[in-house]
Amino acid sequence: MEGPIELLPEAKPLNFETLVNTLIRASSANQQQVQTGTQQLQNWEREPGLYSSLQSVFIETSLPLEVRYLSAIQLKNGIDKYWRKTASNAIGRDEKILIRSRCLESGISELDHRLAIQNALLIAKITRFEFPHDWPDVLLSIAQYLRSTSQPDANPQRLSRTLLILLHIIKELSTARLQRSRSSLQSAAPEVFQVLAQIYIDKVQIWMQSLQSTGDREVSSRDIENSLIALRVLRRLTVAGYEFPNRSKEVQAFWVFSRLQLGETISLLNKRIGTAQLYFVSRIEKIVVQLSKLHLEMARNHPAAFALLPGSPDLTKTYWRLLVEFGKVFGSQTIVTKMKVGRGGDAEDKVIPYMEKLSLKGLLILRSCMKMVYTPTQSFKYMHVEDKWEKIQSMELIKREVLTEVLVREMMETLVTQFFVFRPRDLREWEEEPDEWERREEGEGDAWEFSIRSCSEKLFLDLVINNKDLLTKPLLNVFYTVATPQNTDILRKDSIYAAIGLAAPMLENELDFGGFLKSTLVSEVQHQQAGYNILRRRIAIVLGQWLGVKHGLDRPLVYQVFQHLLDKEDKLNDLVVRVTAGRHLKSVIDPFDFVAESFMPFAPILLSRLLLLVEEVELSETKLALLNTVSVIVVRGEHHINPVADQILSSMSIIWSQSEDEFLIKQSILGILSGLITSMKDQSQRFHTVILPLIQSSIDPSSDSRAYLLEDALDLWAAILIQTSSASPELFALTAYLFPMFETADETLRKALEITESYVLLYPGPMLNLSRLYLSSFTTLLAASPKREASGTVTHLAELLIQAAEIIGGADAIKTFTTVLLETKFLTQLLTSLHSAYSAHQTTGPNRGRSKIDGIVETDHISVLARLALSSPTVFIQALTVVFSNRDSSFDETVAWILAEWFSHFENIGSSDRKKLNCLALTALLNHSPQTWILSKLQDLMSVWMDVVTECMEYPEERDNEDGRDCLVYWDPDGLKPTDRPEAPEEERRRNMIFADPVHRLNVKNFIRERLQQAIRVSGGEEIFQRDWLVNVDADIVRSFSQLGIL
């Protein structure tokens, strides 16, 4: 007898039993069953009723835990994908109502903590979608649950679950950016806040009284846990649930309680630190940290409200007193009583004392107060009179009560003497993990918010910037007592030097740093005593800070100091010292007053040691920082970098081969090579054999590295073309990689077109030979992207190729190139776009036609026609005949609309060069036979001539009989050469092209005179010309034209 046939996953019907069996398979240890179950769940994903069924599985407590957990995960993911009304196959309205009706009670009754968290997360997601429209009473329902579950006879676990749900809901709603969502939360916040605050206060009082009187034996862990969760909710609700928290009575009352509790809890922890159970201590410490987060977030998000809430100035001073007390042990091992002890007897650094977290929050609160007073956030939001008054009052209150002269001076002294000092943990990490420690100390971005010393430096800088007159003298007094070679208190010196470096912009005119450099720093950097590596590191940082603001320092002496600090042979120059010196050498080289000539005698040794250091370090971030210094040296060294160029290239090749898949480092290397090529000008050609293969491997479509290196490789490729004076087959062979880039629509396309332009200038003949391939791609680009970004460059390249053809082969080359323009449909595409513009301009009113191209793009298109017509009017007319030979319109009709659009668009051309080009082209058409179609536009021609001649011609004060000078004609080729630097080869090529351009070679007035006189002769003389053509021109235009003196 055959066994039962198992249905395929697609054929299984959805019901409770099959869903449970499928979830059992998907959560089993058998991989095949997992795949079968997962596939079936995916097949059911859009099945109506799936997600309510998943919820039914979740709330069925008799099922295995792993099955219920997987059902919660599937339900949460489904809500993400299908709960929105706009989602395809969205969950139905009735099913949503069913899910909402069961989720709160099931979550509050859940016994397992992991399942409760998943349920809270999915409730939060539903609330984000449904509140306030489809689920307006969710917060009020939770408030009712809070009231019932907080009763003395209620199960305390139900209160924990309710608080957990509320925590995730408030987390979700507080991230909303729409004003409607924020307003809905703020409307419901007061009622929830009142209930929650009362629960928190009651629970805190219970466990505080127990700890203070009977000891920790009778303290309920559930009470402490519930108060912690309640505080986490209150913290977010206070900040996100009120627009003006200071105006709320319940917030004011809670704020007073939080301020008092902070002091009492810290005092309790200090007294009972040795007797309380570890669990209680850790939870109470978390409560203290949550209180500090509440105060900090209020200061950051509602600065005016923070200042105006009851007792906030005293609260800020309390944090400062905590900081002062913490500063007494900061850096000493007296605080390790709160830390686990490692195998070596040192404190385990991963466990951070809560007092350190609390002190860090205090520093951040003080920074927020500084920002509130000195750099308040500007907003475009409308402010009522009361809002403005509160803002002004808060600033005055903080300045008067907190940032007093006495406290500001005390803060500066305490920060420098206590929080700038290295701790034993820092020095131990320096020795054990120098790479990681140095990287962390130089951390950028917001890393300072998580470090006491870094945050102290930020606060110190705020103080000095905004209280320069008050703090300069005390700071310098401390500095003068410490900054002597005889003083061997290294840690104190390091902290004072750190302050002097940070305050460099403020002390620029107060401190003789040049004298200090010569008398003290040079001596101290050569000390060979143990511990002076700390001072050497600091000296490198301070020099980098001061060289950017203080001019006139002895730079050669500074370069010698950095040479010494980068010397690996000196034992005190450990890895941290050398990496720090390598990083901050960039700040020495980068300032505006840097002079390359004075640096170059030191460059070989500095670069040698710096490049060896790049190879030595292991962290990629450190390598990148050191390579950035090398890049700055290359760029700022300009053409003086030549003597060390081979050394740099050799090291870059080694580092490139070592980097393998570290593409960020390879990007940096390509950037350095670009700078090196640019600095060396045409002398860089000897490096092509090394660099061109790197470019090829980075731009090859089949290369894995192309996605990461293409942009930097294109910059390097462009730099090589610009700085190359003579063509080479290897460089030209790279053009094959340009064509795939023409199919893109991003920055790569723009760069590829720029590179193509450089190739036309460097290889005009070979590029003309390949013009058919390029113009085919350009035609596609014009048709696909009629916008300025692509079409402007493409039409410019077409003009450049026309100029190159004329220079190389004259009329014959122009004729050959025009054939290519026709065969590739490039010219047809131009004329089609222009015809759409002409047709659109013939219509008016609300239903007028729209042109495919805008005015700027039309100028680019017409300029190609002008360039072709100016080079050879005969070839131009022949091309027009070919384009329209297969169309219904005659030649006369074709020329008529082209000239009509050409003349009508002329007044929209903004560039003088473009105007003159089009004027010369239209004038050149006068000599094409027959002339009737152009002479019929004589009035338009005269208007163009008057416009261009008036704009281009310059006359001396006394005109006499002089014709004047065309200001667009360049007569001195050497006048455009740069005098302050060597010239790039491409600059010379562009200059030669400019001087060969008729726009800058022909005097427009003489050109018009010659062509007009020839047209008069061809037409039969002045009398016939007057009778047949000039008589059709407006008399005022003829009179104005005659005043130009052309005829």
Side-chain angles (χ1 to χ4, degrees), residues 601-620:
F602 307 93
I605 295 177
L606 280 171
L607 277 169
S608 174
R609 293 173 178 175
L610 187 61
L611 292 170
L612 288 174
L613 183 60
V614 175
E615 298 178 30
E616 179 183 352
V617 296
E618 297 178 357
L619 288 180
S620 297

Side-chain angles (χ1 to χ4, degrees), residues 631-833:
S631 178
V632 171
I633 292 174
V634 168
V635 172
R636 296 308 306 274
E638 297 177 337
H639 58 280
H640 302 284
I641 204 70
N642 290 351
V644 293
D646 292 280
Q647 177 185 359
I648 295 172
L649 184 65
S650 176
S651 294
M652 292 300 105
S653 300
I654 295 173
I655 299 169
W656 179 280
S657 60
Q658 292 175 346
S659 299
E660 297 181 352
D661 293 336
E662 296 184 70
F663 297 115
L664 286 176
I665 294 177
K666 288 187 173 182
Q667 288 174 1
S668 182
I669 291 173
L670 292 174
I672 291 172
L673 294 177
S674 297
L676 187 64
I677 295 296
T678 302
S679 296
M680 294 183 66
K681 301 295 185 288
D682 59 342
Q683 297 185 36
S684 63
Q685 285 188 241
R686 67 179 189 269
F687 296 151
H688 285 192
T689 55
V690 177
I691 295 177
L692 293 183
L694 298 183
I695 296 175
Q696 181 177 352
S697 65
S698 302
I699 63 176
D700 190 338
S702 62
S703 172
D704 294 335
S705 61
R706 185 180 189 272
Y708 307 97
L709 304 180
L710 178 61
E711 183 178 348
D712 297 279
L714 290 177
D715 290 336
L716 177 57
W717 191 2
I720 284 181
L721 288 168
I722 291 171
Q723 306 301 336
T724 297
S725 58
S726 59
S728 67
E730 295 79 12
L731 182 56
F732 187 75
L734 292 178
T735 56
Y737 295 98
L738 285 171
F739 296 103
M741 300 179 196
F742 294 148
E743 300 174 3
T744 62
D746 53 10
E747 186 68 14
T748 301
L749 172 60
R750 183 190 65 81
K751 201 67 183 179
L753 292 173
E754 291 178 2
I755 289 173
T756 306
E757 180 182 357
S758 294
Y759 268 110
V760 173
L761 293 170
L762 180 60
Y763 299 87
M767 290 297 287
L768 282 171
N769 294 335
L770 293 176
S771 59
R772 192 181 308 276
L773 296 174
Y774 286 100
L775 287 172
S776 296
S777 298
F778 294 167
T779 303
T780 305
L781 281 174
L782 283 180
S785 178
K787 296 184 179 180
R788 179 76 173 103
E789 291 78 6
S791 65
T793 308
V794 166
T795 52
H796 172 68
L797 284 170
E799 284 190 64
L800 203 59
L801 287 168
I802 293 171
Q803 287 180 266
E806 185 178 12
I807 293 171
I808 292 175
D812 292 339
I814 291 293
K815 187 174 182 179
T816 302
F817 182 72
T818 304
T819 302
V820 177
L821 287 173
L822 294 169
E823 291 175 352
T824 57
K825 306 296 183 182
F826 185 85
L827 191 58
T828 303
Q829 180 62 44
L830 289 181
L831 292 169
T832 301
S833 299

Side-chain angles (χ1 to χ4, degrees), residues 584-626:
H584 290 274
L585 180 60
K586 169 183 174 292
S587 302
V588 174
I589 305 298
D590 213 19
F592 179 75
D593 61 343
F594 171 78
V595 179
E597 290 87 341
S598 63
F599 173 74
M600 292 317 298
F602 307 93
I605 295 177
L606 280 171
L607 277 169
S608 174
R609 293 173 178 175
L610 187 61
L611 292 170
L612 288 174
L613 183 60
V614 175
E615 298 178 30
E616 179 183 352
V617 296
E618 297 178 357
L619 288 180
S620 297
E621 293 181 27
T622 307
K623 284 181 181 287
L624 288 171
L626 297 175

Side-chain angles (χ1 to χ4, degrees), residues 40-106:
Q40 180 61 75
L41 289 172
Q42 290 176 357
N43 294 337
W44 281 336
E45 203 170 57
R46 301 183 180 184
E47 188 79 16
L50 170 66
Y51 297 103
S52 57
S53 300
L54 285 170
Q55 188 186 37
S56 298
V57 173
F58 171 73
I59 62 180
E60 180 55 61
T61 57
S62 62
L63 292 173
L65 179 65
E66 59 273 12
V67 173
R68 297 178 63 206
Y69 190 84
L70 180 57
S71 68
I73 296 294
Q74 292 291 325
L75 176 57
K76 182 162 61 73
N77 293 341
I79 289 171
D80 271 335
K81 294 172 67 175
Y82 301 113
W83 194 276
R84 291 181 179 86
K85 296 176 182 178
T86 57
S88 58
N89 299 291
I91 299 174
R93 181 174 179 273
D94 294 338
E95 189 174 3
K96 287 182 179 180
I97 294 174
L98 178 60
I99 292 172
R100 288 202 310 261
S101 66
R102 298 189 295 181
C103 60
L104 283 178
E105 181 59 38
S106 62

Side-chain angles (χ1 to χ4, degrees), residues 243-272:
E243 187 173 3
F244 301 101
N246 58 300
R247 302 177 190 175
S248 170
K249 297 296 183 183
E250 61 267 17
V251 174
Q252 292 178 10
F254 176 71
W255 187 262
V256 172
F257 181 81
S258 73
R259 182 169 59 87
L260 296 175
Q261 187 202 353
L262 180 69
E264 292 175 0
T265 310
I266 292 174
S267 177
L268 180 66
L269 285 171
N270 291 338
K271 289 179 181 178
R272 302 186 56 82

Side-chain angles (χ1 to χ4, degrees), residues 947-985:
D947 185 356
V948 174
V949 170
T950 303
E951 185 171 341
C952 294
M953 300 305 294
E954 295 178 341
Y955 301 95
E957 294 182 5
E958 299 295 334
R959 288 189 55 171
D960 296 332
N961 295 323
E962 292 190 23
D963 253 351
R965 184 176 66 85
D966 189 334
C967 64
L968 292 181
V969 172
Y970 301 153
W971 66 92
D972 181 14
D974 295 330
L976 298 180
K977 286 185 178 181
T979 57
D980 57 338
R981 59 177 174 80
E983 185 180 39

